[in-house]
Each structure stands twice: as structure tokens, then as C-alpha cells.
Amino acid sequence: MPRDGLTVPDPALRRPFGRTGLAVTPICVGTSPLASMPGLYGYEVGEERARATVEAVFDGPFNFLDTSNNYGGGSAERRIGAVVRQRGGVPGGFVLATKVDADPDTGDFSGDRVRRSAEESLERLGVDRVPLLYLHDPEFHITFEEAMAPGGAVEALVALRDAGVAGHIGVAGGPIGLLRDFVATDVFDAVISHNRWTLVNREADPLLDEARDRGVAFVNGAPYGGGMLVKGPDAQPRYAYRDTAEPVREAVRAMRRACDEHSVPLAAAALQFSLRDPRVASTIVGVSEPERIEETLRLATLPIPRALWDELDRHLPSPAAWLD
């Protein structure tokens, strides 16, 4: 990864989003915590707090908001939509992205389901189109071949774009090999990978290269690995909400000690690792309260010495540590 220079890009300065013509801030606000999913995050987020957070996002320094049809059974979109309606629309220049999801009851991810998912999202959000619409987590429901088949999910997503329902389309998921297959089709304008381009996991590196070479915007999700790279592995031993091997936890302990020696929060290093990479168009940071906007800005702009970056790289665990 390039380490030239010590200056982190201004987190409020808009940059080109691949070949789309959109301009987004390097930080994208993620909204899955606003759906209030205590089983996943360990805390609840009430309606009033969620709406206040969306208000703070719309009034804040970042112009990119990410949500999905299935966050909390649609509650994230409904809460965003309540603020959109109250304001009379999405603020000018703001990029609102959502995702089409499989049917939560049947697992259906056909072309028909993609169309229904988009309709549900638009109704909840109170808009008639979105600048960006992703195919979300196809790996749990369909194969690449099924997604790309005539009449399938991708064909339906393309049709939504051609009809003006979505300005641009993307794919969001986990397995890097699958995402590389989707990117190689040249159908998609953007790709989201989560938990696989962080201080402690560099699995997505080839995907970043391929996305850049094809003009596909790469969006990095979960730079904190679900909390381990904020709280440390003893307070949060799970990475990406899954049990993690001891070599990974020990690597994060070593990284945290290195950060402490330089008086740098582990979270700041984790966030700036993503922000510093010129291949990353934007980094998704989930928020659950208005104060998190200012806190994220602080972490994004805190000075980090070059020596610390070199030390963190030395503590990177072996790729074998991630094998089940």
C-alpha cells in the first residue's frame, strides 16, 4: 500500500467516485446501527436518536450516506425517510445509496425480487430515485452464474438503472473472489467490500487494484472490523462479528500497544489506514448518535507519524491466521 506523504486527505473534501461523475466525501456514513439491532451491536437505538443522527449527517461535513433494504427489516430506511420527508427532500449534492436485498423470508433473489426490493426502499426513503443502488450480499442466496443469468438479479438491476430509478449500480458483499468476478463484468460502477481491507486484514488488495484499473469506485466497509479495532481484542474478541483466531487477536494487541506508545487511538489508525489509500473512493463508518459525526472527523484528522505506520505493518498477521 502506498505510504507517500503524511497528510490524510481532507475527510470533507469531495472526490471523484470512479467513472460515475458523482463526487463524494472520503467518509461515507453507514446506517445499519440506526436500524437498532441489539443482537448484532449490543445496544438499541431509539427512533428519536436515530432521526437526530440523520439530521446531524445531513447538516454535517460528509455528503455520502449508505443504507440497505434489510437493515432492521427496513427500519433504517424508514428512519432516514422520515427526515427526508420532514426536510422536503435529500439535501442538494448529497449522495444517498441503498441496496437491493433478497426476500427476508424466502431467500428469493430473483429479478422480480430485485425490483420489489427497490420499490420498497424508495417508498421508505421518500424518494423516486437514488444516485446509487447496490446488489447486496448475493453470496448468501445465489451463485455468480445465477445472478448474471438472463432475467436474474443483475439484469433487473441494470434495467432499474436504465429506467432512471438508480443513477448508478454497484455490488456489495464479502468474498473477494466473488466480488472480483462481478467487477470483471464491467457492469458495475461501484463495489463495497467489508472487513477485508483493514489494519489487520489485507485480503481485498487485488480487488482494490482491479476496481481502480476498471474505473470502478471501491468503497471500504467496516474499517474497524466490527469494533475490535476500536476497543481492542480483549474487550471485543470477535472480528466481523465472528470468533477470531488467537494470532489475529495478538496482532491487534501489538498494534494497540504501538499506537499507545505514539499516543494515537487505535481507532484513528484503523480509520486512516483506509482514508490514506488512493484506491479507496470512500470509507463507510457506521454511526448511532449525532456525536459520532464529530468524533469520526476527529479520528480522521488526528496526526499520525510515519514511524507508526511502518510498525503497524510489521505486526500484520499471516493470511493463514484468517483460515477457518
Side-chain angles (χ1 to χ4, degrees):
M1 172 181 171
R3 295 293 190 196
D4 297 334
L6 295 174
T7 303
V8 175
D10 182 343
L13 183 65
R14 300 179 188 186
R15 59 173 66 172
F17 192 69
R19 61 188 177 219
T20 66
L22 298 173
V24 301
T25 48
I27 289 176
C28 174
V29 177
T31 61
S32 62
L34 297 183
S36 191
M37 296 184 283
L40 185 63
Y41 291 110
Y43 57 85
E44 295 185 357
V45 177
E47 182 82 18
E48 184 176 344
R49 174 175 156 188
R51 292 191 186 189
T53 303
V54 177
E55 292 274 10
V57 173
F58 284 162
D59 292 333
F62 312 130
N63 82 322
F64 196 7
L65 188 72
D66 177 88
T67 191
S68 181
N69 178 283
N70 76 348
Y71 289 163
S75 63
E77 289 182 329
R78 282 191 290 270
R79 291 171 168 189
I80 295 166
V83 177
V84 169
R85 290 180 174 91
Q86 178 183 335
R87 287 179 168 238
V90 177
F94 208 92
V95 177
L96 175 59
T98 193
K99 310 178 189 78
V100 293
D101 283 277
D103 186 285
D105 297 319
T106 67
D108 173 35
F109 216 170
S110 63
D112 285 343
R113 171 55 197 166
V114 165
R115 287 184 285 272
R116 289 196 305 272
S117 180
E119 290 171 1
E120 293 165 1
S121 292
L122 295 179
E123 192 279 328
R124 293 175 189 142
L125 292 168
V127 297
D128 56 13
R129 69 181 302 276
V130 287
L132 185 57
L133 186 64
Y134 296 94
L135 183 74
H136 193 201
D137 289 344
E139 63 269 21
F140 294 112
H141 307 283
I142 51 177
T143 65
F144 172 76
E145 290 75 18
E146 289 170 335
M148 297 298 302
V154 173
E155 183 177 283
L157 195 64
V158 170
L160 289 170
R161 181 193 61 194
D162 292 347
V165 173
H168 306 279
I169 59 175
V171 58
I176 297 302
L178 178 63
L179 293 178
R180 291 175 69 181
D181 287 342
F182 279 119
V183 166
T185 65
D186 286 325
V187 169
F188 299 94
D189 304 305
V191 58
I192 296 177
S193 170
H194 58 81
N195 292 293
R196 291 164 172 85
W197 188 243
T198 71
L199 276 179
V200 74
N201 186 316
R202 314 289 173 87
E203 183 183 347
D205 192 47
L207 175 62
L208 271 76
D209 281 342
E210 290 175 14
R212 175 200 57 202
D213 294 346
R214 292 178 178 273
V216 175
F218 179 87
V219 179
N220 194 27
Y224 303 133
M228 180 183 285
L229 296 174
V230 175
K231 302 175 182 178
D234 297 310
Q236 174 50 278
R238 292 163 67 84
Y239 182 97
Y241 316 109
R242 298 177 60 189
D243 292 334
T244 308
E246 180 59 26
V248 173
R249 295 195 292 269
E250 184 52 43
V252 179
R253 291 187 189 102
M255 289 179 173
R256 186 170 191 173
R257 289 193 295 270
C259 287
D260 289 345
E261 290 171 1
H262 290 273
S263 300
V264 171
L266 178 64
L271 177 56
Q272 290 189 34
F273 170 83
S274 182
L275 295 179
R276 286 165 54 90
D277 194 317
R279 299 172 297 174
V280 177
S282 196
T283 299
I284 300 174
V285 179
V287 299
S288 58
E289 57 187 358
E291 294 76 14
R292 286 280 290 139
I293 305 299
E294 185 62 32
E295 173 65 9
T296 298
L297 191 61
R298 185 186 72 82
L299 293 173
T301 55
L302 189 143
I304 297 180
R306 186 190 304 274
L308 177 56
W309 291 119
D310 295 337
E311 189 170 351
L312 292 172
D313 281 346
R314 289 196 293 271
H315 293 305
L316 185 68
S318 164
W322 295 100
L323 299 178
D324 293 332

